[in-house]
Amino acid sequence: MNYFYFPLEEWTNDFVNSWLIPTLGPFFDMAGGWIGTLLEWINWALNAIPAEVLTIIIVVLAWYLAGKGVAIFSLIGLFYLGSVDLWEEGMQTLAIIFVATFLSIIIGIPIGIWSAKSEGVLKVVRPILDFMQTLPSFVYLIPAILLFGLGGVPAVISTFVFATPPCVRLTNLGIRQVPEDVVEASRAFGSTSGQMLMKVQLPLALPTIMAGINQTIMLALSMAVIAAMIGAPGLGSIVLSGISSVNVGLGLIGGLGIVVLAIILDRITQGIKTER
């Protein structure tokens, strides 16, 4: 089938090395600096709070938002992280997840709203989201390393790219599912587009938007081990160490730590959706 040669590899490398890095390198350096600072602050805050106090906060939050069963599981899960000496790694993973999810929300929700308001924007955004979701997640690591080096910052960037599509898609879906008669009634009472969005569409779409945020958090956690391949600290690096040294026990305790965090975050964010 090689009737002709398509030099995509050469074109891509020329584009990256001849234009992207020389032209936008300072921007990527600045963005990497901001993200690195935010990551350090959150990581510092999570580790500065005594483990017992943070456990109580999470358990109370879980009880309030998701019920007694989730609170008990959260208590047992957090005791597990401490008992296998993975508390610090667990907080490092949470810091990366928080920053990546924060970026996904502040960028993904406005794009989702814009897509819901304009069919033209949706036609542009949809194939980009398809590309982001179907491209193997390992591929994201290459440009992340090239533009941001090794460590937590490229891990946040690659996690953000992988986890953002559900936030955009479900925000778009939630806005579009608002009943048309409600929108018409709001318009009949003289609401401006901004008032209609803030006081009618977003409140009614909030459960769907929260479902998108929940999926974003879960996808971000699923990147923990992959991101460890480019130097991301946390539970993923424990699993990766277990794989590289064929240490089944080490891989198991790190993997269970990721599962514990995933279940706690999933149930609490689902509880927020139900609470709304």
Side-chain angles (χ1 to χ4, degrees):
M1 289 293 289
N2 55 336
Y3 299 114
F4 63 92
Y5 178 66
F6 184 45
L8 181 60
E9 178 185 346
E10 289 82 357
W11 289 351
T12 304
N13 289 332
D14 286 343
F15 170 76
V16 171
N17 295 319
S18 302
W19 185 84
L20 185 64
I21 294 179
T23 306
L24 297 181
F27 169 75
F28 289 123
D29 290 341
M30 180 181 66
W34 288 348
I35 294 171
T37 302
L38 181 60
L39 187 61
E40 287 178 7
W41 284 353
I42 293 178
N43 192 27
W44 174 84
L46 289 174
N47 282 290
I49 301 173
E52 294 79 4
V53 175
L54 190 56
T55 298
I56 292 172
I57 293 173
I58 293 173
V59 168
V60 170
L61 191 65
W63 193 312
Y64 175 72
L65 292 172
K68 182 179 175 182
V70 177
I72 294 173
F73 177 84
S74 301
L75 181 64
I76 295 172
L78 294 173
F79 269 133
Y80 164 77
L81 286 180
S83 66
V84 294
D85 199 21
L86 290 181
W87 182 267
E88 184 178 348
E89 287 79 2
M91 296 304 104
Q92 290 171 339
T93 298
L94 275 183
I96 292 174
I97 300 306
F98 284 164
V99 176
T101 303
F102 172 71
L103 293 177
S104 296
I105 290 172
I106 63 171
I107 294 175
I109 288 181
I111 293 176
I113 293 172
W114 196 13
S115 303
K117 298 287 186 181
S118 168
E119 288 295 333
V121 172
L122 181 62
K123 288 179 181 176
V124 174
V125 169
R126 183 179 289 164
I128 295 174
L129 296 178
D130 293 340
F131 180 81
M132 291 166 68
Q133 283 191 297
T134 54
L135 194 69
S137 52
F138 285 94
V139 178
Y140 296 134
L141 303 184
I142 302 172
I145 294 173
L146 192 63
L147 299 175
F148 299 99
L150 296 173
V153 173
V156 168
I157 296 297
S158 54
T159 301
F160 154 73
V161 174
F162 182 67
T164 298
C167 189
V168 179
R169 288 188 192 279
L170 288 176
T171 299
N172 169 55
L173 179 65
I175 297 292
R176 287 176 181 271
Q177 284 182 335
V178 174
E180 190 60 31
D181 54 345
V182 176
V183 175
E184 288 299 326
S186 172
R187 189 175 289 121
F189 278 102
S191 298
T192 63
S193 297
Q195 289 172 331
M196 192 186 308
L197 176 66
M198 298 302 296
K199 296 183 178 180
V200 177
Q201 292 173 310
L202 280 180
L204 291 176
L206 197 56
T208 308
I209 295 173
M210 285 304 303
I213 294 173
N214 174 274
Q215 290 303 304
T216 294
I217 293 173
M218 293 300 103
L219 284 179
L221 265 170
S222 73
M223 280 287 288
V225 178
I226 297 172
M229 297 176 69
I230 54 175
L235 295 171
S237 64
I238 301 298
V239 176
L240 193 62
S241 297
I243 294 172
S244 59
S245 60
V246 200
N247 187 333
V248 179
L250 186 62
L252 179 63
I253 63 170
L256 285 178
I258 294 174
V259 172
V260 164
L261 290 182
I263 294 176
I264 292 173
L265 292 175
D266 177 62
R267 299 302 184 270
I268 288 177
T269 50
Q270 283 193 17
I272 294 173
K273 181 176 67 175
T274 306
E275 187 77 10
R276 295 289 178 180

Coordinates of all heavy atoms in Angstrom, one line a residue, residues 39 42 46 89-105 152 155-156 159-160 163 213-214 216-225 227 233 235 258 261-262 265:
L39 N 1.1 23.9 41.7 CA 1.3 22.5 42.2 C 2.1 22.4 43.5 O 1.7 21.7 44.4 CB 2.0 21.7 41.1 CG 2.1 20.2 41.3 CD1 0.8 19.6 41.3 CD2 3.0 19.6 40.1
I42 N -0.3 23.6 46.5 CA -1.3 22.6 46.9 C -0.6 21.4 47.6 O -1.1 21.0 48.6 CB -2.1 22.2 45.6 CG1 -2.9 23.4 45.1 CG2 -3.0 21.0 46.0 CD1 -3.7 23.0 43.9
L46 N -1.4 20.3 51.4 CA -1.9 19.0 51.8 C -0.9 18.3 52.8 O -1.4 17.6 53.6 CB -2.0 18.1 50.5 CG -3.2 18.5 49.6 CD1 -3.1 17.7 48.3 CD2 -4.5 18.3 50.3
E89 N 2.9 10.2 49.3 CA 2.7 9.9 47.9 C 1.2 10.1 47.5 O 0.9 10.6 46.4 CB 3.1 8.5 47.6 CG 4.6 8.2 47.5 CD 5.2 8.1 48.9 OE1 4.4 8.1 49.9 OE2 6.4 7.9 49.0
G90 N 0.3 9.8 48.4 CA -1.1 10.0 48.2 C -1.5 11.5 48.0 O -2.2 11.9 47.1
M91 N -0.8 12.3 48.9 CA -1.1 13.7 48.8 C -0.5 14.3 47.5 O -1.0 15.2 46.9 CB -0.5 14.4 50.0 CG -1.2 14.0 51.3 SD -3.0 14.3 51.4 CE -3.5 12.6 51.2
Q92 N 0.7 13.8 47.1 CA 1.3 14.3 45.8 C 0.4 13.9 44.6 O 0.2 14.8 43.7 CB 2.7 13.6 45.6 CG 3.7 14.1 46.6 CD 5.0 13.2 46.6 OE1 5.0 12.1 46.1 NE2 6.1 13.8 47.0
T93 N -0.2 12.7 44.7 CA -1.2 12.4 43.6 C -2.4 13.3 43.6 O -2.8 13.8 42.6 CB -1.6 10.9 43.8 OG1 -0.4 10.1 43.7 CG2 -2.6 10.5 42.7
L94 N -2.9 13.6 44.8 CA -4.1 14.5 45.0 C -3.7 15.8 44.4 O -4.6 16.5 43.8 CB -4.5 14.5 46.4 CG -5.4 13.5 47.0 CD1 -5.8 13.8 48.4 CD2 -6.7 13.3 46.1
A95 N -2.5 16.3 44.7 CA -2.1 17.7 44.2 C -2.2 17.7 42.7 O -2.7 18.7 42.1 CB -0.8 18.0 44.8
I96 N -1.6 16.7 42.1 CA -1.6 16.7 40.6 C -3.0 16.6 40.0 O -3.4 17.3 39.1 CB -0.8 15.5 40.1 CG1 0.7 15.7 40.4 CG2 -1.0 15.3 38.6 CD1 1.6 14.6 40.1
I97 N -3.9 15.8 40.7 CA -5.3 15.6 40.2 C -6.0 17.0 40.4 O -6.8 17.4 39.5 CB -6.0 14.5 41.1 CG1 -5.3 13.2 40.9 CG2 -7.4 14.4 40.7 CD1 -5.1 12.8 39.5
F98 N -5.8 17.6 41.6 CA -6.5 18.9 41.8 C -6.1 19.9 40.8 O -7.0 20.6 40.2 CB -6.2 19.4 43.2 CG -6.9 18.7 44.3 CD1 -6.4 18.8 45.6 CD2 -8.0 17.9 44.1 CE1 -7.1 18.1 46.6 CE2 -8.6 17.2 45.1 CZ -8.2 17.3 46.4
V99 N -4.8 20.1 40.5 CA -4.4 21.1 39.5 C -4.9 20.8 38.1 O -5.4 21.7 37.4 CB -2.9 21.3 39.5 CG1 -2.4 22.3 38.5 CG2 -2.4 21.7 40.9
A100 N -4.8 19.5 37.7 CA -5.2 19.1 36.4 C -6.7 19.3 36.2 O -7.2 19.8 35.2 CB -4.8 17.7 36.1
T101 N -7.5 18.9 37.3 CA -8.9 19.1 37.2 C -9.3 20.6 37.2 O -10.3 21.0 36.5 CB -9.6 18.4 38.4 OG1 -9.2 17.0 38.4 CG2 -11.1 18.4 38.4
F102 N -8.6 21.4 38.0 CA -8.9 22.8 38.0 C -8.7 23.4 36.6 O -9.6 24.2 36.2 CB -7.9 23.5 39.0 CG -8.0 25.0 39.0 CD1 -9.1 25.7 39.5 CD2 -6.9 25.7 38.5 CE1 -9.1 27.1 39.5 CE2 -7.0 27.1 38.5 CZ -8.1 27.8 39.0
L103 N -7.6 23.1 36.0 CA -7.4 23.6 34.6 C -8.5 23.1 33.7 O -9.0 23.8 32.8 CB -6.0 23.1 34.1 CG -4.8 23.7 34.8 CD1 -3.5 23.1 34.3 CD2 -4.8 25.2 34.7
S104 N -8.9 21.8 33.8 CA -10.0 21.3 33.0 C -11.3 22.0 33.1 O -12.0 22.3 32.2 CB -10.2 19.8 33.3 OG -9.0 19.0 33.0
I105 N -11.6 22.4 34.4 CA -12.8 23.1 34.7 C -12.8 24.5 34.1 O -13.8 24.9 33.4 CB -13.1 23.1 36.2 CG1 -13.4 21.7 36.7 CG2 -14.2 24.0 36.5 CD1 -13.5 21.5 38.2
G152 N 6.4 17.1 37.7 CA 5.0 17.3 38.0 C 4.3 18.1 36.9 O 3.1 17.8 36.6
A155 N 3.3 16.3 33.8 CA 2.3 15.3 34.3 C 0.9 16.0 34.3 O -0.1 15.4 33.9 CB 2.7 14.7 35.6
V156 N 0.9 17.2 34.9 CA -0.3 18.0 35.0 C -0.9 18.3 33.6 O -2.1 18.1 33.3 CB -0.1 19.3 35.8 CG1 -1.3 20.2 35.6 CG2 0.1 19.0 37.2
T159 N -2.2 15.1 31.8 CA -3.4 14.7 32.5 C -4.5 15.6 32.1 O -5.7 15.2 31.9 CB -3.2 14.7 34.0 OG1 -2.1 13.8 34.4 CG2 -4.4 14.2 34.8
F160 N -4.3 16.9 32.1 CA -5.3 17.9 31.7 C -5.8 17.6 30.3 O -7.0 17.6 30.1 CB -4.7 19.3 31.8 CG -5.3 20.3 30.9 CD1 -6.6 20.8 31.2 CD2 -4.7 20.8 29.8 CE1 -7.2 21.7 30.4 CE2 -5.3 21.7 28.9 CZ -6.5 22.2 29.2
A163 N -8.0 14.4 30.3 CA -9.2 14.4 31.2 C -10.2 15.5 30.8 O -11.3 15.4 31.4 CB -8.7 14.5 32.6
I213 N -17.5 16.7 35.5 CA -16.4 17.0 36.4 C -16.0 15.7 37.1 O -14.8 15.3 37.3 CB -16.7 18.0 37.5 CG1 -16.9 19.4 36.8 CG2 -15.6 18.2 38.5 CD1 -17.4 20.5 37.7
N214 N -17.0 14.9 37.5 CA -16.7 13.5 38.1 C -15.9 12.7 37.2 O -14.9 12.0 37.5 CB -18.0 12.9 38.5 CG -17.8 11.5 39.0 OD1 -17.7 10.5 38.2 ND2 -17.7 11.3 40.3
T216 N -14.0 13.7 34.7 CA -12.7 14.3 34.5 C -11.8 13.9 35.6 O -10.6 13.5 35.4 CB -12.9 15.8 34.5 OG1 -13.6 16.2 33.4 CG2 -11.5 16.5 34.5
I217 N -12.2 13.9 36.9 CA -11.4 13.4 38.0 C -11.0 12.0 37.9 O -9.8 11.6 38.1 CB -12.2 13.7 39.3 CG1 -12.4 15.2 39.6 CG2 -11.4 13.1 40.5 CD1 -13.3 15.5 40.8
M218 N -12.0 11.1 37.5 CA -11.6 9.7 37.3 C -10.6 9.5 36.2 O -9.7 8.7 36.4 CB -12.9 8.9 37.0 CG -13.9 8.9 38.1 SD -13.3 8.1 39.6 CE -13.0 9.6 40.6
L219 N -10.7 10.2 35.1 CA -9.7 10.1 34.0 C -8.4 10.6 34.5 O -7.3 10.0 34.1 CB -10.2 10.8 32.8 CG -11.3 10.1 31.9 CD1 -11.7 11.0 30.8 CD2 -10.9 8.8 31.4
A220 N -8.4 11.7 35.2 CA -7.1 12.2 35.7 C -6.4 11.2 36.6 O -5.2 11.0 36.6 CB -7.4 13.5 36.5
L221 N -7.2 10.5 37.5 CA -6.6 9.5 38.4 C -6.0 8.3 37.5 O -5.0 7.7 37.9 CB -7.6 9.0 39.4 CG -7.6 9.7 40.7 CD1 -8.8 9.3 41.6 CD2 -6.3 9.3 41.5
S222 N -6.7 8.0 36.4 CA -6.3 6.9 35.6 C -5.0 7.2 34.9 O -4.3 6.3 34.4 CB -7.3 6.6 34.5 OG -7.4 7.5 33.5
M223 N -4.5 8.5 34.9 CA -3.3 8.8 34.3 C -2.1 8.8 35.3 O -1.0 9.1 34.9 CB -3.4 10.3 33.7 CG -4.0 10.4 32.4 SD -3.0 9.7 31.0 CE -1.7 11.0 31.0
A224 N -2.4 8.4 36.6 CA -1.4 8.5 37.6 C -0.1 7.7 37.3 O 1.0 8.1 37.4 CB -2.0 8.1 38.9
V225 N -0.3 6.4 36.8 CA 0.8 5.5 36.6 C 1.5 6.0 35.3 O 2.7 6.0 35.2 CB 0.3 4.1 36.5 CG1 1.5 3.2 36.1 CG2 -0.3 3.6 37.8
A227 N 1.6 9.0 33.9 CA 2.3 10.2 34.2 C 3.6 10.0 35.0 O 4.6 10.8 34.8 CB 1.4 11.2 34.9
P233 N 5.6 12.6 40.6 CA 5.7 11.9 41.9 C 4.3 11.4 42.3 O 3.3 11.7 41.7 CB 6.1 13.1 42.9 CG 5.6 14.3 42.2 CD 5.6 14.1 40.7
L235 N 1.6 8.1 43.9 CA 1.3 6.7 43.9 C 1.7 6.0 42.6 O 2.0 4.8 42.6 CB -0.2 6.5 44.3 CG -0.6 7.0 45.7 CD1 -2.1 6.9 45.8 CD2 0.0 6.1 46.7
I258 N -4.3 4.1 44.7 CA -5.0 4.8 43.7 C -6.5 4.5 43.7 O -7.3 5.4 43.5 CB -4.3 4.5 42.3 CG1 -2.9 5.0 42.2 CG2 -5.2 5.1 41.2 CD1 -2.1 4.6 41.0
L261 N -8.2 6.4 46.6 CA -8.4 7.8 46.3 C -9.5 7.9 45.2 O -10.4 8.8 45.3 CB -7.2 8.4 45.8 CG -6.0 8.6 46.8 CD1 -4.9 9.3 46.2 CD2 -6.5 9.4 48.0
A262 N -9.5 7.0 44.2 CA -10.5 7.1 43.1 C -12.0 6.9 43.7 O -12.9 7.7 43.4 CB -10.3 6.1 42.1
L265 N -12.9 10.1 45.9 CA -13.3 11.3 45.1 C -14.5 11.1 44.3 O -15.3 12.0 44.1 CB -12.1 11.6 44.2 CG -10.8 12.1 44.9 CD1 -9.7 12.3 43.9 CD2 -11.1 13.4 45.6

